[in-house]
Amino acid sequence: MSVLQEYERAPKRLKVSAEDEEELEEGEESDSASAGLLGDDEEDEGQSRARWSSADRKDSGSEAHRIAPSPVVHVRGLCESVVEADLVEALEKFGNICYVMMMPFKRQALVEFEEVQSADRCVACGSQEPVYIAGQQAYFNYSTSKRITRPTNADDPNSGNKVLLLSIQNPLYPITTDVLYTVCNPIGNVLRIVIFKRNGIQAMVEFESIQNAQKAKAALNGADIYAGCCTLKIEYARPSRLNVIRNDNDSWDYTKPFLLRRERGKGRQRQAILGEHPSSYSDNGYGSHCPLLPLPGNNRFKRSSHDVPEVVTYPLPQTSSYMSHASSSVAMVSGLHPAKMNCTRIFNLFCLYGNIEKVKFMKSVPGTALVEMGDEYAVDRAITHLNSIKVFSKRLNVCVSKQHAVIPSQVFELEDGSSSYKDFAMTRNNRFTSAGQASKNIIQPPSCVLHFYNVPPCISEDDLQRLCTEHDVPGFIKYKVFDAKPSSKTISGLLEFDSKTHAVEVLTVLNHYQIRIPNGSNPYTLKLCFSTSSHL
């Protein structure tokens, strides 16, 4: 079976069941932080956790038993660096654990015990005395589920599959076979890797043995490859063996080095991979070194102190070692609607994947524009997520431009009367201007749910629906607003549309719309991005 056929057999995305998702509804404010937006949103998430834990502490008996006892325990208050193995290590004293579901960006998890009595002990202990996971106090309650819903591709852990399915969330930096090999191989020998870059970034990693796969899942599930991004969500894959036909950045068979098919002198450069990071990131202050989270101290998940370092580090790779990434920081976008697309609307859409410096429509090629982004990796992300999507009934084609900069020549007037060229280098609406700001952006493919934020509290659901009507874009079918602090000056929430195309069009038109309110001194800038939620 070919690599493509294996991909087609695998589900496009890992999903949480409706039942599990409903249970996490109370902590949905964390979708704000997951969408990587504002500091206020992170405070909202913290407040939500505080309310939950405060209620837990206030009424340890009734709160824990408000939900019927279940072998599945809902864990909150986890620190950012927690991985599956930390939960197993801290909670296995209550009984055998058969499954763990990590919610990395929500700082939550579901833990399924083999017996209800084990969950009883866990919840009871947590309500009577502090229980620490990875050095931070966690809070427990029964889940509304009696069993954690496994993804359709996930075999039961006891079935003995040595292939793992990795979903990389918030992939700010390129993910290649070299990156995943460096992350996974210290835990157990890796035989083959296949990476899929459709509808997000996923990979299948085949280990030498079932035991190595189990160790890797426990040690890495929920971990960040780089600090604050490239978070691993790991399940057992459906195939029991991977079929690799070539060795490159997207697939590799470490048992068959002869599959290498590259130009002479451009082979796999391990030395360069572990060298300095690209200058484009250091110039932006991204730092010279992004460590993988420390591996858990429990030796069950390690081979030995000599084989596995306490901290696995992976510097950002040298540009020369990446043969597949964009060779230019300029993207060429064709298939643009001549009357409905302009420089600002291109910015509204492309700014979700990197800083935008300049946008210029090409006079000689109607419906085509050049977009100069902050670096070539931003172009990579834009191509991965925006190529072939439909906007205003036209399918976009996004590819790397041969030009290395956008030059404001042959400026003309577009059909809507706006200029064919615009410089966005100094706009405050760029979302990757610093390392801290960049780390808050969750890189999501287009979806039918939009996350909105920075909206004044006086704006209602009807006001937003009216805004869609006034701008001749599809209206939303579901609306949800997150609870805000009484002192908050803005609100945020989710909008669900009939289709992904409708959501894309609304974001393209209304992202960064200036909302003015009576007696207000300054307008509010409406911010939109694609949500991590698939439905409301």
Side-chain angles (χ1 to χ4, degrees):
M1 184 182 294
S2 68
V3 172
L4 181 59
Q5 288 172 319
E6 280 186 304
Y7 170 75
E8 295 298 342
R9 286 183 58 191
K12 299 297 183 266
R13 296 192 54 128
L14 293 177
K15 293 183 179 180
V16 181
S17 72
E19 190 177 18
D20 294 333
E21 189 69 36
E22 181 181 2
E23 173 179 355
L24 295 169
E25 194 74 16
E26 186 182 351
E28 191 66 36
E29 284 111 332
S30 61
D31 190 85
S32 313
S34 295
L37 313 172
L38 297 174
D40 286 345
D41 291 325
E42 291 180 342
E43 292 173 11
D44 288 344
E45 180 195 6
Q47 186 186 36
S48 175
R49 292 200 312 272
R51 286 197 303 268
W52 190 91
S53 59
S54 174
D56 233 20
R57 289 193 298 268
K58 196 180 298 180
D59 189 357
S60 60
S62 61
E63 183 72 18
H65 291 85
R66 183 177 298 174
I67 300 173
S70 164
V72 181
V73 172
H74 185 192
V75 187
R76 290 181 184 254
L78 299 173
C79 63
E80 291 182 349
S81 61
V82 73
V83 293
E84 179 180 325
D86 295 322
L87 287 158
V88 173
E89 183 179 4
L91 304 182
E92 64 181 354
K93 62 185 178 183
F94 300 116
N96 291 332
I97 295 172
C98 57
Y99 201 82
V100 175
M101 175 183 283
M102 300 295 299
M103 302 288 176
F105 293 109
K106 296 179 183 293
R107 300 176 188 175
Q108 303 171 26
L110 296 178
V111 177
E112 181 181 325
F113 289 93
E114 286 186 357
E115 299 178 348
V116 177
Q117 290 79 3
S118 301
D120 288 339
R121 289 192 289 269
C122 178
V123 172
C125 181
S127 64
Q128 295 169 5
E129 61 185 50
V131 175
Y132 294 91
I133 298 177
Q136 182 165 311
Q137 185 176 356
Y139 304 95
F140 309 90
N141 203 347
Y142 294 112
S143 166
T144 56
S145 305
K146 301 301 180 184
R147 181 178 185 272
I148 297 176
T149 304
R150 276 68 159 169
T152 55
N153 63 296
D155 295 333
D156 189 271
N158 299 322
S159 66
N161 193 4
K162 61 179 181 179
V163 180
L164 298 180
L165 177 65
L166 282 59
S167 291
I168 294 86
Q169 301 175 328
N170 193 21
L172 285 181
Y173 303 124
I175 300 299
T176 67
T177 50
D178 283 332
V179 172
L180 295 181
Y181 183 87
T182 304
V183 167
C184 297
N185 198 63
I187 301 172
N189 290 336
V190 172
L191 301 184
R192 299 169 189 88
I193 297 175
V194 177
I195 298 175
F196 307 110
K197 295 181 179 177
R198 298 181 190 174
N199 298 318
I201 297 180
Q202 291 185 311
M204 281 192 255
V205 179
E206 180 183 345
F207 289 85
E208 188 176 52
S209 68
I210 298 166
Q211 291 73 22
N212 285 344
Q214 291 172 341
K215 291 177 183 177
K217 182 177 183 294
L220 299 176
N221 190 17
D224 292 345
I225 295 178
Y226 301 112
C229 64
C230 301
T231 304
L232 295 170
K233 187 171 183 180
I234 304 176
E235 302 291 345
Y236 291 94
R238 178 181 293 170
S240 57
R241 186 185 187 281
L242 300 181
N243 180 31
V244 176
I245 58 176
R246 64 180 177 274
N247 288 347
D248 57 20
N249 282 332
D250 292 329
S251 62
W252 203 282
D253 188 333
Y254 298 94
T255 67
K256 297 179 180 178
F258 57 82
L259 291 179
L260 182 64
R261 294 179 184 175
R262 290 184 182 175
E263 297 175 21
R264 188 174 181 181
K266 293 186 178 180
R268 191 164 181 265
Q269 302 173 23
R270 176 65 61 185
Q271 204 62 30
I273 290 291
L274 297 177
E276 292 294 323
H277 52 85
S279 58
S280 58
Y281 278 99
S282 62
D283 292 342
N284 287 333
Y286 278 49
S288 61
H289 197 76
C290 294
L292 182 74
L293 293 173
L295 294 177
N298 193 330
N299 287 328
R300 292 186 299 111
F301 306 106
K302 294 185 180 181
R303 297 162 76 191
S304 73
S305 59
H306 299 289
D307 294 329
V308 182
E310 283 300 314
V311 177
V312 180
T313 58
Y314 191 81
L316 291 175
Q318 286 187 0
T319 302
S320 62
S321 66
Y322 275 85
M323 309 310 299
S324 64
H325 75 68
S327 57
S328 167
S329 59
V330 178
M332 183 169 71
V333 188
S334 58
L336 297 167
H337 193 288
K340 295 185 177 181
M341 289 299 287
N342 56 33
C343 294
T344 299
R345 290 183 176 183
I346 289 176
F347 172 86
N348 289 344
L349 181 59
F350 278 71
C351 73
L352 303 185
Y353 304 102
N355 287 337
I356 309 297
E357 300 289 330
K358 304 167 189 172
V359 177
K360 183 184 86 167
F361 278 76
M362 301 174 69
K363 191 169 187 178
S364 58
V365 189
T368 301
L370 297 177
V371 182
E372 183 177 340
M373 305 190 74
D375 51 64
E376 58 266 33
Y377 299 109
V379 174
D380 271 342
R381 296 192 292 270
I383 292 172
T384 298
H385 297 297
L386 298 180
N387 186 40
S388 296
I389 68 167
K390 274 193 172 183
V391 186
F392 302 120
S393 301
K394 295 182 72 68
R395 194 172 296 279
L396 297 188
N397 179 37
V398 187
C399 61
V400 182
S401 171
K402 294 180 181 178
Q403 298 191 29
H404 292 272
V406 170
I407 301 181
S409 60
Q410 293 185 300
V411 178
F412 58 98
E413 191 175 278
L414 299 176
E415 286 192 27
D416 67 353
S418 64
S419 173
S420 65
Y421 169 82
K422 193 166 184 180
D423 190 325
F424 294 95
M426 301 304 293
T427 179
R428 295 179 61 185
N429 291 330
N430 269 318
R431 305 182 184 186
F432 296 77
T433 53
S434 67
Q437 190 182 33
S439 67
K440 293 180 180 180
N441 291 287
I442 302 303
I443 306 298
Q444 281 289 114
S447 69
C448 61
V449 180
L450 293 182
H451 179 99
F452 71 86
Y453 61 106
N454 203 44
V455 172
C458 62
I459 297 297
S460 66
E461 177 181 356
D462 290 338
D463 293 327
L464 291 177
Q465 198 72 267
R466 194 177 306 113
L467 190 62
C468 294
T469 304
E470 291 172 354
H471 287 81
D472 195 27
V473 292
F476 48 87
I477 58 174
K478 291 184 181 179
Y479 169 85
K480 176 180 179 179
V481 63
F482 299 144
D483 292 335
K485 294 178 291 187
S487 59
S488 177
K489 297 180 180 179
T490 62
I491 59 173
S492 60
L494 300 175
L495 306 174
E496 182 178 347
F497 294 84
D498 263 331
S499 67
K500 178 175 68 176
T501 300
H502 286 176
V504 170
E505 292 175 1
V506 171
L507 182 142
T508 301
V509 173
L510 295 181
N511 198 12
H512 306 123
Y513 176 78
Q514 298 290 297
I515 300 176
R516 298 185 179 276
I517 59 174
N519 303 320
S521 55
N522 296 313
Y524 290 75
T525 301
L526 169 65
K527 299 289 183 75
L528 297 170
C529 64
F530 298 114
S531 171
T532 56
S533 300
S534 57
H535 59 83
L536 298 187

